[in-house]
Amino acid sequence: MPKPDLFGDVPLLFANGRNYTSKDYQALLKDSNVPKGDELYNLVKDLPLFDDDIGVDVYCIHGKDQKTPELFRYADDGKFPDNQPTTEDGDGDGTVNIRSLELCKKFKTLVDYKVVTGFLATHLEILQRTDVIQYISDLLTKKNIQRREEGTSEEKKENRKTVF
């Protein structure tokens, strides 16, 4: 769910003669007849995403320049949410839009941020790229060497950050 403080009044979905933004989740859940929608929304709406140090190093790799659904329009035929929307595409990795992908930059413990384009740059294909596989392999090798150099005392093990 796009957070209202990050997505603001950008329309995400059109249905029932109105547009829904990230500030309209309660109305959207109600209009979609989601059982216990308010209850579910209230459980997650205030979860901190980028406010705190999450205790791990963060490495982000994603694709871009792929046609990605960005906006959903439902026909005003009274069948929402049971009919299929038409989509308007924007940039992203074919699954996740670029605005959401770039939120990774907000993590306080971000160590590295890489974007790949071109062949095999979609959400699912990216792990088939030799450059991405090599990057991850190099990163894991470097982390393993650092851990060995740190020693194996129980105290050091408890204070280490986990990477993944």
Side-chain angles (χ1 to χ4, degrees):
M1 294 177 116
K3 302 253 314 158
D5 57 328
L6 301 171
F7 279 75
D9 291 320
V10 175
L12 304 170
L13 184 142
F14 290 90
N16 299 329
R18 68 174 286 184
N19 65 357
Y20 296 90
T21 71
S22 61
K23 295 179 179 180
D24 300 314
Y25 283 126
Q26 289 176 299
L28 175 60
L29 292 167
K30 181 178 183 270
D31 294 348
S32 302
N33 300 314
V34 174
K36 299 184 179 185
D38 271 350
E39 192 177 315
L40 294 170
Y41 176 72
N42 287 328
L43 284 174
V44 299
K45 70 178 176 135
D46 295 322
L47 290 176
L49 288 179
F50 308 107
D51 300 338
D52 300 322
D53 178 342
I54 59 173
V56 297
D57 293 335
V58 175
Y59 296 81
C60 295
I61 308 171
H62 67 78
K64 72 172 216 161
D65 297 338
Q66 306 295 315
K67 191 168 88 170
T68 304
E70 190 170 65
L71 180 69
F72 302 88
R73 291 185 185 275
Y74 286 84
D76 288 331
D77 58 6
K79 296 179 182 174
F80 172 77
D82 296 323
N83 54 356
Q84 288 295 311
T86 58
T87 59
E88 293 180 22
D89 293 327
D91 189 14
D93 70 359
T95 300
V96 180
N97 68 53
I98 197 70
R99 188 174 189 160
S100 294
L101 290 167
E102 289 180 342
L103 290 175
C104 189
K105 295 176 188 176
K106 292 185 171 283
F107 281 106
K108 293 197 180 339
T109 56
L110 180 65
V111 174
D112 199 11
Y113 180 85
K114 293 192 177 302
V115 177
V116 297
T117 60
F119 185 66
L120 295 177
T122 69
H123 190 77
L124 297 175
E125 295 170 337
I126 195 168
L127 291 175
Q128 297 174 36
R129 290 176 63 111
T130 55
D131 58 331
V132 171
I133 293 167
Q134 188 62 55
Y135 172 78
I136 293 169
S137 177
D138 291 348
L139 177 63
L140 293 173
T141 300
K142 179 182 170 186
K143 289 293 181 182
N144 282 332
I145 290 169
Q146 287 173 348
R147 285 184 178 170
R148 274 186 253 143
E149 290 172 353
E150 289 174 359
T152 58
S153 74
E154 289 303 312
E155 183 179 302
K156 287 183 181 177
K157 281 183 182 178
E158 289 178 10
N159 292 326
R160 281 195 308 238
K161 291 184 178 182
T162 304
V163 178
F164 290 109

